[in-house]
Amino acid sequence: MRVTFVTSNASKVAEVRRIFAEYEIPVAWSRRSIPEPQCDRLEEVVEAKLAAAAKPGVGVVVEDSGLFLEDAKGFPGVYSRFAYDTIGLDGVLRLLANRPRGATFRTVAGFRKGRTTLLTVGEVHGTISSRRQGTGGFGYDPIFFPEGSDRTFAEISGPEKDRISHRGRAMRALARKIAALNSKV
Ligand code: IMP
């Protein structure tokens, strides 16, 4: 089954295409941003995106991700895009000056085709660096060290990020479930 990933983010498409290729699931890209309702949880955002993106006969994939800072009670979390667009990476670094730097990246991924809906979650724990490091990736990648690594997500290759990242974990779980559906029909 081919799926259509609805997102405006080309970097996410590259990651999802690589991951779904391991399960032989081709990914078409519908390049648009779906308006996000104000919600407290990534799961609610994904449910709303699925409702907005669903199309008869099409296997639609959406996702929403956030960075949860332990010292800031999980902020920016579901508001990560807003924080990135307003205070930016430097603002986040300032927020954590001389503070504990633990953080979790979380992705909720969703699939809908007809009456079948699948949701999966992926997380990676890590720490926020004290300055930007690396030029790869996107978003918060230059300030996030995944647990056990001395390189940020912006300093490792895409496939390396996929193996351990929040999106890698959520999307592999989703691809496995979609592949299982495929084998039933
Ligand atoms: P959204 O899922 O596109 O709403 O992401 C929220 C914010 O987190 C945006 O500013 C993204 O750039 C950022 N973000 C999402 N996924 C990642 C990632 O894998 N690495 C770094 N930043 C990310």
Side-chain angles (χ1 to χ4, degrees):
M1 183 198 306
R2 147 199 184 91
V3 300
T4 297
F5 183 28
V6 185
T7 179
S8 59
N9 185 325
S11 303
K12 288 185 180 180
V13 176
E15 292 183 9
V16 170
R17 280 194 168 141
R18 265 195 314 263
I19 294 160
F20 274 46
E22 292 167 29
Y23 299 85
E24 295 176 8
I25 302 173
V27 177
W29 180 15
S30 171
R31 184 178 201 152
R32 66 188 177 100
S33 64
I34 306 167
E36 291 179 21
Q38 278 232 321
C39 301
D40 296 338
R41 302 173 63 238
L42 296 177
E43 282 83 351
E44 293 172 65
V45 177
V46 168
E47 288 283 4
K49 284 186 175 180
L50 280 175
K55 234 182 179 180
V58 178
V60 165
V61 171
V62 301
E63 67 99 79
D64 203 54
S65 301
L67 178 66
F68 296 75
L69 303 175
E70 284 162 24
D71 190 57
K73 298 193 164 71
F75 179 82
V78 78
Y79 309 109
S80 293
R81 169 170 301 281
F82 178 72
Y84 184 84
D85 293 342
T86 52
I87 62 173
L89 297 185
D90 292 333
V92 172
L93 293 177
R94 269 197 302 277
L95 202 66
L96 291 187
N98 303 313
R99 306 288 310 173
R101 311 190 78 79
T104 299
F105 251 128
R106 188 163 194 267
T107 291
V108 177
F111 166 88
R112 179 163 294 165
K113 185 169 186 186
R115 285 152 63 145
T116 303
T117 298
L118 306 170
L119 280 198
T120 59
V121 180
E123 286 188 350
V124 57
H125 301 289
T127 51
I128 302 298
S129 59
S130 52
R131 57 182 175 84
R132 293 164 188 252
Q133 282 183 218
T135 52
F138 69 99
Y140 296 96
D141 280 348
I143 64 166
F144 186 81
F145 288 119
E147 205 162 58
S149 170
D150 58 0
R151 290 179 300 160
T152 66
F153 271 161
E155 293 178 300
I156 61 177
S157 70
E160 268 182 287
K161 179 183 172 188
D162 297 342
R163 270 201 293 282
I164 53 174
S165 77
H166 47 311
R167 183 166 301 101
R169 289 176 172 151
M171 288 295 173
R172 272 192 299 278
L174 193 65
R176 269 196 295 274
K177 288 188 178 197
I178 295 170
L181 281 182
N182 278 343
S183 61
K184 273 191 220 148
V185 289

